Amino acid sequence: MQRDLVSVIMPTFNCSKHLKASIDSILNQTYHDVELLITDDHSTDEETLSILRQYNEQEGRVDVLFLDTNKGPGYVRDKSIERAKGRYIAFCDSDDRWFPEKLERQIAFMTEKNCPLSYTSYIMQDDENQDQGITIAPQKVTFSMLKRDNKIGCSTAVYDTKLLGRKYFMPFIRKRQDWGLFLTILRDSKATAYGIQEPLAYYRLRPNSVSSSKFGLIKYNLRIYREVLGFSRLKSYAYFYVLFLPTYFTKILKKKVDSFFYLSRLRKKS
């Protein structure tokens, strides 16, 4: 039986080490009605380009767009969203992976909840696929909650264009654009996002990633408040220092505690 198509959005840039595993985790989903839309951000690594060309030529469900200049992950994801034909828009970064049943369970979950945006918990791994911890997703996220801090892992997120009435794109900000997207969806829809607390994805810990420098991201957090939510400069700083920072550090503490118990259980099993 044919089901609603899921369009999976993947940006790539010099990411050959984990790229095949990431792509295969999408193509091997138990939910088969999937198209994978990859936009390559002008990679210079020949191995990355070779992998992308191979899938583009040999796998009908994969469509790759090669950019002539480097634009950043927000722009790149938007170029894939433009080409999306599916009812559902999902995201997966090029070194993250999904459990085989992720989409099957998540689409059923969204149908049951009648929600336009969902997400899941995820396991954090290092560059050698060794588990380093877990991020347990909150059961629900409202617009008010999301304004305090991004609580949705991008590589776990799925949104429903039928319930929302249109596609949503990421803001033209080089970093934190996924937070801006989720804020816009919840603000416009006045809906609640719901999460599956069981982990259904693997997230790659990347020391040199765009999100690894927390202090360097301060200006991008402030830009979300100003450019996406339209806050004044004073209100943006007030939200950041009074609401964002306490929420963020509480989230980090919870992640450390959850990861400690998760890794302890793993050690007992081994």
Side-chain angles (χ1 to χ4, degrees):
M1 181 181 70
Q2 186 173 6
R3 295 177 289 186
D4 290 307
L5 182 67
V6 178
S7 299
V8 183
I9 309 304
M10 178 182 288
T12 58
F13 178 70
N14 294 343
C15 54
S16 59
K17 182 172 183 178
H18 302 290
L19 181 56
K20 286 178 64 68
S22 181
I23 292 174
D24 287 342
S25 79
I26 293 165
L27 298 180
N28 294 331
Q29 288 290 297
T30 58
Y31 191 105
H32 298 294
D33 297 290
V34 170
E35 63 171 358
L36 175 56
L37 303 169
I38 300 173
T39 301
D40 181 73
D41 201 11
H42 194 53
S43 288
T44 56
D45 169 42
E46 186 54 41
E47 187 174 357
T48 296
L49 295 172
S50 176
I51 292 170
L52 292 176
R53 293 189 192 105
Q54 178 184 354
Y55 278 99
N56 197 40
E57 294 168 3
Q58 299 179 6
E59 173 55 65
R61 292 184 293 165
V62 177
D63 175 60
V64 184
L65 173 66
F66 297 92
L67 298 185
D68 294 330
T69 56
N70 184 269
K71 295 289 189 178
Y75 179 91
V76 168
R77 289 188 181 110
D78 282 349
K79 294 302 290 184
S80 288
I81 295 173
E82 287 177 4
R83 313 195 314 271
K85 300 174 183 176
R87 169 179 173 174
Y88 297 98
I89 307 291
F91 299 90
C92 186
D93 283 349
S94 57
D95 51 2
D96 296 339
R97 289 174 292 127
W98 288 351
F99 287 31
E101 69 276 14
K102 177 184 182 290
L103 286 182
E104 185 92 44
R105 292 191 53 189
Q106 200 164 357
I107 300 305
F109 177 80
M110 293 178 74
T111 302
E112 176 189 345
K113 292 287 188 181
N114 194 36
C115 65
L117 175 63
S118 74
Y119 50 91
T120 80
S121 300
Y122 55 88
I123 296 170
M124 298 174 288
Q125 291 190 329
D126 63 17
D127 206 42
E128 304 305 322
N129 294 332
Q130 297 299 309
D131 290 3
Q132 299 298 309
I134 190 169
T135 296
I136 299 178
Q139 290 184 333
K140 66 178 182 179
V141 172
T142 64
F143 176 60
S144 177
M145 293 167 63
L146 199 63
K147 283 192 294 184
R148 294 171 176 258
D149 176 46
N150 187 15
K151 307 175 191 308
I152 299 174
C154 188
S155 283
T156 76
V158 179
Y159 74 81
D160 183 348
T161 64
K162 183 175 181 180
L163 289 183
L164 292 170
R166 66 179 178 89
K167 297 178 187 176
Y168 275 80
F169 295 86
M170 295 201 172
F172 292 125
I173 299 173
R174 196 168 183 89
K175 303 175 185 179
R176 306 293 275 166
Q177 66 283 140
D178 54 335
W179 185 28
L181 169 70
F182 305 143
L183 280 167
T184 303
I185 288 175
L186 293 188
R187 179 192 63 193
D188 292 357
S189 67
K190 297 179 174 57
T192 297
Y194 289 93
I196 297 175
Q197 293 197 292
E198 182 180 345
L200 292 175
Y202 293 100
Y203 169 78
R204 187 77 53 192
L205 295 174
R206 303 177 289 269
N208 299 316
S209 71
V210 295
S211 61
S212 60
S213 174
K214 303 307 180 186
F215 288 106
L217 287 175
I218 290 175
K219 66 178 180 180
Y220 293 101
N221 293 335
L222 294 172
R223 285 187 66 182
I224 291 293
Y225 286 133
R226 297 204 66 190
E227 298 178 26
V228 175
L229 298 182
F231 289 177
S232 67
R233 183 182 297 271
L234 178 61
K235 187 175 181 180
S236 297
Y237 275 96
Y239 253 79
F240 179 76
Y241 286 106
V242 177
L243 295 176
F244 178 92
L245 283 182
T247 304
Y248 172 77
F249 286 118
T250 300
K251 180 179 75 173
I252 294 299
L253 178 60
K254 182 181 184 302
K255 184 183 298 186
K256 288 182 180 297
V257 172
D258 291 338
S259 295
F260 172 80
F261 287 110
Y262 170 76
L263 294 173
S264 295
R265 290 194 297 270
L266 280 186
R267 284 192 289 269
K268 289 180 180 178
K269 291 179 181 178
S270 61

